[in-house]
Amino acid sequence: MSAGKRGALIIFEGCDRSGKTTQSRLLVELLKSKGIPALPMNFPERSSSIGQVINSYLTNSKDLKDEVIHLMFSANRWEHMNQMKQKLLEGHTLVVDRYSFSGVAYSSAKGLDFDWCYAPERGLIKPDAVFYLRAPPNDLTNRGQYGEERYEKVEFQSRVAKVFDRLCANEASYWHQFDASQPVDELHARIASITEELLPTVATQPLDTL
Ligand code: DGP
Ligand code: NA
Ligand code: NA
């Protein structure tokens, strides 16, 4: 990697079971196969002490006030920012399964104020692209394991989807919306082509913040 060329911050967002995990894995594999340094990441990152509290909350073994868990999800992103910045500046492209927008979408869906939800995300590294995998929540219940964790209820997921739609409209300059019900390989091909166009463009741009 030549000096001064940074990697891209690429985020996958969408409701539970929308295919983010599969698509982010395929994208990392493709980039690596082309010799492009790429690292997978996942939020919430459940291994830190904050991440372990989040995991207990999601698996319903712990209850926390909506505001408290919101700030913990945000703190979980903040605790990884230095490491992410360093990796990006070293030339790694980060492919991340969920980010700040899940924070806004899931907490707004509970009724918390949109701007209040967004506030703790301000200052985090701004993604170069968000790939929003959009699907009607009714379609998602047919996919594996739906319903095991706290938020995996159709009615709640439809409210989450509405907030993602709003974010997608607000942040249209770097959001790319896809129909999540299309075949995995077709979706991957679309995502791959946008990513390959994006990488040389952002390589010389400074990192920005949300
Ligand atoms: P995942 O491991 O990506 O499937 O995420 C686990 C669950 O946590 C999923 O239902 C989405 C939800 N989630 C992810 N990030 C946040 C966040 O920042 N805030 C809230 N309230 N929920 C989140
Ligand atoms: Na999930
Ligand atoms: Na995730």
Side-chain angles (χ1 to χ4, degrees), residues 184-197:
V184 169
D185 53 337
E186 287 174 24
L187 181 51
H188 170 61
R190 293 196 167 89
I191 287 170
S193 98
I194 294 175
T195 303
E196 286 174 63
E197 261 178 51

Side-chain angles (χ1 to χ4, degrees), residues 23-167:
Q23 288 299 330
S24 50
R25 180 177 51 75
L26 290 173
L27 183 59
V28 170
E29 283 169 6
L30 176 78
L31 295 174
K32 282 185 172 170
S33 78
K34 299 197 169 207
I36 298 165
L39 295 171
M41 287 192 71
N42 180 32
F43 287 114
E45 195 289 300
R46 301 189 195 207
S47 73
S48 68
S49 48
I50 290 171
Q52 285 169 36
V53 174
I54 293 171
N55 185 60
S56 308
Y57 175 82
L58 289 171
T59 55
N60 293 309
S61 62
K62 189 182 190 75
D63 269 320
L64 288 167
K65 279 200 62 167
D66 293 343
E67 289 86 351
V68 173
I69 191 63
H70 180 79
L71 296 171
M72 298 210 66
F73 273 107
S74 184
N76 183 236
R77 287 182 280 276
W78 276 103
E79 66 182 346
H80 291 89
M81 273 314 106
N82 284 346
Q83 174 211 342
M84 287 172 70
K85 185 173 179 186
Q86 192 187 334
K87 291 291 180 200
L88 287 165
L89 294 177
E90 284 169 6
H92 295 90
T93 284
L94 304 181
V95 177
V96 190
D97 184 340
R98 297 194 184 280
Y99 198 58
S100 302
F101 315 103
S102 283
V104 176
Y106 282 75
S107 291
S108 299
K110 297 172 183 172
L112 299 186
D113 177 71
F114 182 94
D115 294 329
W116 186 91
C117 291
Y118 210 135
E121 308 301 324
R122 300 281 177 202
L124 292 174
I125 304 168
K126 185 178 177 180
D128 297 298
V130 173
F131 296 139
Y132 170 30
L133 308 193
R134 189 174 188 279
N138 277 318
D139 288 3
L140 301 175
T141 47
N142 301 327
R143 301 194 178 185
Q145 296 173 314
Y146 200 83
E148 272 181 10
E149 284 201 337
R150 179 179 290 262
Y151 295 135
E152 298 185 335
K153 315 246 172 5
V154 178
E155 193 263 344
F156 184 73
Q157 295 285 327
S158 8
R159 276 187 274 144
V160 171
K162 286 206 181 90
V163 191
F164 277 132
D165 287 347
R166 175 174 173 186
L167 285 160

